[in-house]
Amino acid sequence: MSVNSAEPPAEVDVVLVKAGRTKIRYGGVLLHDDGTRLAVRAPWAGAGARDFGFVRFEAGDVFTEYYWRDRWYSVKEVRTAAGALKGWYCDVTRPAVLAGAELVVEDLDLDLWRSADGKDVRRLDEDEFARSGLPERDPESAAAAVAALDELERLARGADFTALLA
């Protein structure tokens, strides 16, 4: 299915798993699936607003979320209800799995934020990742997660970041 497809958009449930448990589940519309990359549009699914200090997610915000079956991250473009771009919130995850109408991703605690103007790029939650035990329990997956965060940061600091989502 692609954005230009004559097929109606498909509803999907995005399931974010963390430490073996469902962290959050929310509905969205599958905009694109080329077999490797998927795009989903969904409203902010959090309970109330969440203020990170550098960005605030709130009711009415719209997320266009990009997932890959062959990459260890997802990228979420965040816009206000009026369409103003806030920036991109990136999660380091295991590669996405679409099973029926469920898109399942496993959160590995590392995150990255890139502001709309590209001037604020910050790595997040490295302390949570260290406390997760993944580096000791599964060193290979931990190394893939750190490499994914490094790649995201390199892309976010470059001029071609949005090409990743085109």
Side-chain angles (χ1 to χ4, degrees), residues 1 32-38 67-70 96 98:
M1 168 191 243
H32 175 84
D33 181 358
D34 66 10
T36 301
R37 190 187 74 174
L38 304 101
Y67 300 92
W68 286 264
R69 290 180 174 97
D70 63 351
L98 181 64

Side-chain angles (χ1 to χ4, degrees), residues 58-73:
E58 53 202 338
D61 285 351
V62 177
F63 286 63
T64 303
E65 305 175 356
Y66 299 88
Y67 300 92
W68 286 264
R69 290 180 174 97
D70 63 351
R71 297 184 189 185
W72 286 64
Y73 55 79

Side-chain angles (χ1 to χ4, degrees), residues 75-88:
V75 176
K76 297 166 175 86
E77 180 183 275
V78 186
R79 292 185 177 270
T80 66
L85 179 63
K86 291 184 174 186
W88 295 268

Side-chain angles (χ1 to χ4, degrees), residues 20 41-42 48 75 111-112 140 146 152:
R41 182 161 297 129
V75 176
D111 302 301
L112 183 115
E140 189 173 306
V146 170
L152 278 169

Side-chain angles (χ1 to χ4, degrees), residues 10 14 25 32 41 49 53 57 59 73-74 79 84 94 99 103 110 128 130 165:
V14 178
R25 172 188 291 268
H32 175 84
R41 182 161 297 129
F57 297 158
Y73 55 79
S74 62
R79 292 185 177 270
R94 292 186 189 274
L103 177 60
L110 295 171
E128 284 183 38
L165 311 176

Side-chain angles (χ1 to χ4, degrees), residues 53-140:
F54 51 89
V55 67
R56 180 180 166 92
F57 297 158
E58 53 202 338
D61 285 351
V62 177
F63 286 63
T64 303
E65 305 175 356
Y66 299 88
Y67 300 92
W68 286 264
R69 290 180 174 97
D70 63 351
R71 297 184 189 185
W72 286 64
Y73 55 79
S74 62
V75 176
K76 297 166 175 86
E77 180 183 275
V78 186
R79 292 185 177 270
T80 66
L85 179 63
K86 291 184 174 186
W88 295 268
Y89 196 92
C90 308
D91 287 315
V92 173
T93 67
R94 292 186 189 274
V97 175
L98 181 64
E102 274 192 346
L103 177 60
V104 180
V105 289
E106 183 180 348
D107 184 349
L108 298 177
D109 293 310
L110 295 171
D111 302 301
L112 183 115
W113 169 254
R114 183 184 194 262
S115 61
D117 63 8
K119 293 180 181 174
D120 183 11
V121 175
R122 58 179 74 203
R123 295 165 76 109
L124 305 167
D125 302 329
E126 290 177 293
D127 54 338
E128 284 183 38
F129 178 73
R131 287 192 308 268
S132 74
L134 186 66
E136 296 78 26
R137 193 173 59 256
D138 187 349
E140 189 173 306

